[in-house]
Amino acid sequence: MNETWVDIEERSPVKADEKSVLTPDKVDEAEKQRQEALSFLPFGQQLLDANLITESDLEAALQLQSQKGQKLGETLLELGVISEEQLLPFIGKRLGAKAVRIREGVVDPKAVQLIPHEFAVREKVLGMFCVRNNLTVAMAEPANLQQIDDIERMTGLNVIPVFAFGATISRIAGRCYEKDFSVDEVTADMEDSAVEISSGNEGLCVPSLEQLSDGSPTVNLVNFVIVQSLRQGASDIHIEPGRNNTSVRYRVDGQLVESLRPKSQMHGAIISRIKVMGKLDIAEQRAPQDGRCQVSVEGKEVDLRISTLPTIIGEKAVIRILDRSRLSFNLDDLGMDPGELPKVRSLLKKPYGLLLVTGPTGSGKTTTLYSALELIKSVHSNIITVEDPVEYQLEQINQVQADKTRSLSFAAALRSILRQDPDVIMVGEIRDAETAAMAVQAALTGHLVLSTLHTNDAAGAITRLMDMGVEPYKAAASLIGVIAQRLVRKICLDCRTIYYPPAEYLAALNYAGEMRRSFSKGEGCRNCFDTGFKGRAGIYEVMTVDEQLREMMVSDINTETIRKWFKKTGGNNLLDAGIKLAEQEVTSLDEIARTVFLD
């Protein structure tokens, strides 16, 4: 049904002759009356006044609403002109109830089971969590007193209704009522041998599970966490202490997703089990510790890097998952644009010089360097790396672990490597002026040096080198190229949908194509944890250093000057590469804006 438009004249609740004697009570009353007046405005008008949608967005939504007979909010979401986070506060005010976006990680399995499955699906309700005698229930119609009475009667609890979109409730409910949503049921059925400590490497092995307590719930739970993280393609596992529960979160495609909430009483046992796996000191709880182990999960060998950190309410543990089977150290598989890949190959063929890979932590720099080494390694070349830590072991490459506790810093290791007759040197990261000077000196003395820097783009790497004390003429003589990169999430194929972004949004992204065109995004589904994304792809900016740029480097230049030169000479920056990926419907414009444009 179309909305009925009404005009409400906003009048000041205070008379003109009373303005000089305003009191806090009168101000509060005035604000209350103003809010009450605004609450009678049509829902669409409220969104217009908040500049969340345009007149054309509202007109299109009202037309589609009349055809489908659904609510205006759901129609606006379907068109993609507003996000659920932007819409929920307005719905909450209109309904006089809290409005939430429910996810699996914030739903208590025990609360879900309090409401029968058939009733929950039919009525579009979902139990979220229970505190004492109060059960918080997500409802598509939180003002439906009959539903509330029915739930209170069947559970014997007081119901606190909150609003959630019916489509979201149906999608999440389909997952929540599955058997494996209950942590206790899954871990009870899981055998200790689901995760086996590998004994192939003496330096990495720990006592086998058979030597530990058989049937331990803690062992089962840790096994479940590791198995599920691998099945979901996680790169890290975070186990964090809480007042009432332990939080277990997985980093999937660069984003943390909450998976489990075991009772806080189990936290100490969970951390102890993880420490045993990493050969750490169980008794030490006041100092950070680092360890590693190798495990066999479902027939697959996986390295785990374990780090513990004391907090005010207990120890936090992070497990980095190094699954070689998920990686392909091949430049052709990195997703580099066909126009950029030949430039990188050309740079790697040079006999000497410094090649830098830049980007924030977690942007795939190490994978790019390993792929480069795999391309150029040969029985005729002596390749040596210095890393902290060594993440993956590569054949035909000599890898050195930097360790400050043994006085083996990057710079110290690099000095020793230069006496080992190397052809190619990889420095895991240039962190200080001494390492930068050594890397530049190695490049100037006939070695191909690969390394990384933390800068926003390729142009920033040049000025960063000079800021670290490298003389401009040395930087110009040694640097052969810079690769800047990011990892962006790929749209989930199971919930991908088409939408038309506003022209103003495209203009803000400096989009040069047709303004009225469609793009894709993910709505969120069970297979992508309601994020709309699954998997990641790389975007790259490749800057080769030519004679013109070398002359500029010797003069007094800044980062912005280099960027303009790069763009003027036909270079494609990270934003260009990201938009091209969005045009190919691999990722979304919002993901590009989050990853690149808003840096």
Side-chain angles (χ1 to χ4, degrees), residues 365-434:
K365 300 187 298 296
T366 301
T367 301
T368 299
L369 288 179
Y370 280 177
S371 300
L373 294 179
E374 285 285 349
L375 177 67
I376 61 180
K377 74 178 184 181
S378 163
V379 294
H380 305 294
S381 298
N382 178 20
I383 302 177
I384 306 179
T385 76
V386 52
E387 309 168 57
D388 183 22
V390 176
E391 294 195 355
Y392 296 95
Q393 297 179 16
L394 306 176
E395 295 292 334
Q396 294 184 336
I397 295 174
N398 304 285
Q399 295 171 272
V400 178
Q401 171 74 54
D403 187 353
K404 289 184 178 180
T405 61
R406 294 190 293 117
S407 300
L408 191 62
S409 63
F410 278 105
L414 196 48
R415 274 192 293 269
S416 298
I417 288 172
L418 288 173
R419 294 191 287 268
Q420 292 284 317
D421 186 30
D423 297 296
V424 180
I425 303 171
M426 188 197 92
V427 183
E429 181 184 348
I430 296 178
R431 298 178 178 176
D432 51 49
E434 187 181 8

Side-chain angles (χ1 to χ4, degrees), residues 27-52:
V27 173
D28 292 341
E29 182 63 24
E31 178 61 21
K32 180 179 179 181
Q33 292 182 23
R34 191 182 73 85
Q35 291 292 343
E36 289 177 353
L38 289 176
S39 67
F40 288 101
L41 284 173
F43 187 51
Q45 185 63 46
Q46 291 184 36
L47 298 176
L48 281 174
D49 292 343
N51 295 321
L52 293 177

